[in-house]
Amino acid sequence: MTGNNQSPARGCLFVVSGPSGVGKTVLCNKMIERFTPMLVYSISATTRAPRSGETNGQEYFFYSVDEFKNALDNNLLAEWAIVHGNYYGTPKHFLEGNISQGRHVLLNIDVQGGMKILGQYPEAIMIFLQPPSFSVLEDRIRRRNTDSDEIVRKRLENARSEMAFLSRYSFSIVNDDLVKAAHELEDILRKHIQSAS
Ligand code: 5GP
């Protein structure tokens, strides 16, 4: 808090991007566990089909294309993008509500969405996760074994263009070792959370 009768200091906005299969979701989940309750995860809306084990409202809000377009028409999304052929977007209300209450928000979004968020929130802390190599990335995506061959190919193609955005991010972490990458990410978050309070 900044003092009596004043609104709380705004929370930080952390954006984590990087190619599919780089480990964003695992690392983001670890950060939520580590920093709960002051850090909250922004649950995106998507038109992609749920993977096995995914529940509506937990990993994503699973929308039909019409529902997604309706959310766009009603200006309910802070950013959106078409990623691997599906719509993905960040609900605006959750983001703004939490930041204005002084909670920190973690966004796991693609580079197009990352750039849109940076345009609106220049203070956002931009973190890029890199794979140690493309062959490791391919192996991870294939081992995940939840996507068809065509989707795997699309995700790998996209990975190359996503890497071109690396220089627009203030921090980059190579995920060659999950424990080490988690420590690096935790350090970045902790420093910003401490200096915001
Ligand atoms: P997946 O389908 O594997 O869960 O996610 C595919 C990609 O979409 C990932 O790069 C993920 O970061 C990105 N993504 C997830 N939610 C959003 C969102 O709300 N906006 C944007 N722009 N990308 C998202």
Side-chain angles (χ1 to χ4, degrees):
M1 301 285 257
T2 50
N4 285 343
N5 301 324
Q6 287 184 0
S7 20
R10 278 170 75 79
C12 302
L13 189 47
F14 296 101
V15 173
V16 174
S17 301
S20 246
V22 77
K24 294 188 298 276
T25 305
V26 174
L27 285 163
C28 285
N29 287 342
K30 281 184 184 292
M31 294 308 111
I32 297 297
E33 274 172 30
R34 171 69 189 81
F35 292 103
T36 197
M38 80 258 263
L39 179 70
V40 292
Y41 188 73
S42 163
I43 301 174
S44 298
T46 183
T47 60
R48 89 147 157 73
R51 296 191 180 119
S52 103
E54 288 183 333
T55 311
N56 190 33
Q58 204 163 311
E59 289 80 10
Y60 283 104
F61 295 108
F62 294 101
Y63 283 9
S64 67
V65 172
D66 279 352
E67 284 170 333
F68 196 96
K69 288 188 173 161
N70 196 38
L72 281 181
D73 290 346
N74 287 297
N75 198 22
L76 299 179
L77 302 177
E79 63 74 34
W80 68 279
I82 297 177
V83 189
H84 317 310
N86 292 301
Y87 289 95
Y88 290 82
T90 302
K92 193 187 271 182
H93 184 72
F94 180 88
L95 193 67
E96 262 305 318
N98 278 290
I99 296 183
S100 61
Q101 287 303 308
R103 278 183 294 271
H104 314 293
V105 181
L106 183 59
L107 266 63
N108 166 357
I109 61 176
D110 90 309
V111 292
Q112 309 168 72
M115 293 303 101
K116 289 183 195 164
I117 290 291
L118 189 57
Q120 292 168 56
Y121 300 89
E123 70 285 7
I125 298 123
M126 308 293 293
I127 305 161
F128 195 95
L129 288 180
Q130 293 189 65
S133 70
F134 273 96
S135 60
V136 169
L137 190 68
E138 177 163 8
D139 193 47
R140 285 187 194 163
I141 295 178
R142 288 197 189 283
R143 259 191 295 146
R144 186 153 76 186
N145 205 22
T146 49
D147 300 317
S148 71
D149 257 13
E150 193 204 326
I151 293 180
V152 169
R153 260 200 312 279
K154 198 181 273 179
R155 284 174 183 250
L156 284 167
E157 257 171 50
N158 288 351
R160 294 186 190 273
S161 40
E162 282 173 86
M163 291 298 293
F165 284 82
L166 176 61
S167 63
R168 309 288 307 277
Y169 283 70
S170 346
F171 297 94
S172 93
I173 295 174
V174 178
N175 184 11
D176 48 359
D177 175 277
L178 194 62
V179 174
K180 187 171 131 272
H183 276 307
E184 287 177 35
L185 187 54
E186 190 178 324
D187 271 356
I188 296 170
L189 266 58
R190 188 182 319 97
K191 278 180 192 139
H192 286 91
I193 288 174
Q194 277 169 356
S195 61
S197 52

